[in-house]
Amino acid sequence: MEFLNLAPLVLALPFAMFLIIGLFGYKMCPKFAGILGTSVFALTSIVCYGIAIQYFVANKGKQKPKQEKKNKQTKHKTQKHQNTKPNK
């Protein structure tokens, strides 16, 4: 599951619960409103942990070959300029 695609839910779920409980909380049983709010925040924390694990652990072993090629070209150019002697 791609948790990075669920990143907008980290902001949307608590805000939606704030609106729902704020607008309709007086009609709900206080225990139900508490369970509803707590469960949504638990779901939000699960999504946050999934995003963090995917970001820090899943992409750890991957290297970008394009950057390595750029670095080799840059080293070659700097060596070329260092080897040339200025004309007197």
Side-chain angles (χ1 to χ4, degrees), residues 25-77:
Y26 65 93
K27 293 181 181 179
M28 295 181 201
C29 174
K31 188 174 182 178
F32 177 71
I35 291 171
L36 186 65
T38 304
S39 63
V40 169
F41 280 110
L43 179 65
T44 303
S45 65
I46 291 170
V47 171
C48 288
Y49 284 124
I51 290 170
I53 289 170
Q54 185 175 356
Y55 183 78
F56 290 115
V57 176
N59 296 328
K60 190 173 184 179
K62 296 180 182 178
Q63 293 180 353
K64 297 180 181 178
K66 291 183 180 181
Q67 289 181 349
E68 290 177 9
K69 289 180 181 179
K70 273 187 173 182
N71 290 339
K72 287 180 181 178
Q73 290 174 353
T74 308
K75 287 180 184 178
H76 178 69
K77 287 180 183 179

Side-chain angles (χ1 to χ4, degrees), residues 14-33:
F15 183 68
M17 275 302 104
F18 166 74
L19 291 177
I20 290 171
I21 293 174
L23 294 175
F24 305 111
Y26 65 93
K27 293 181 181 179
M28 295 181 201
C29 174
K31 188 174 182 178
F32 177 71

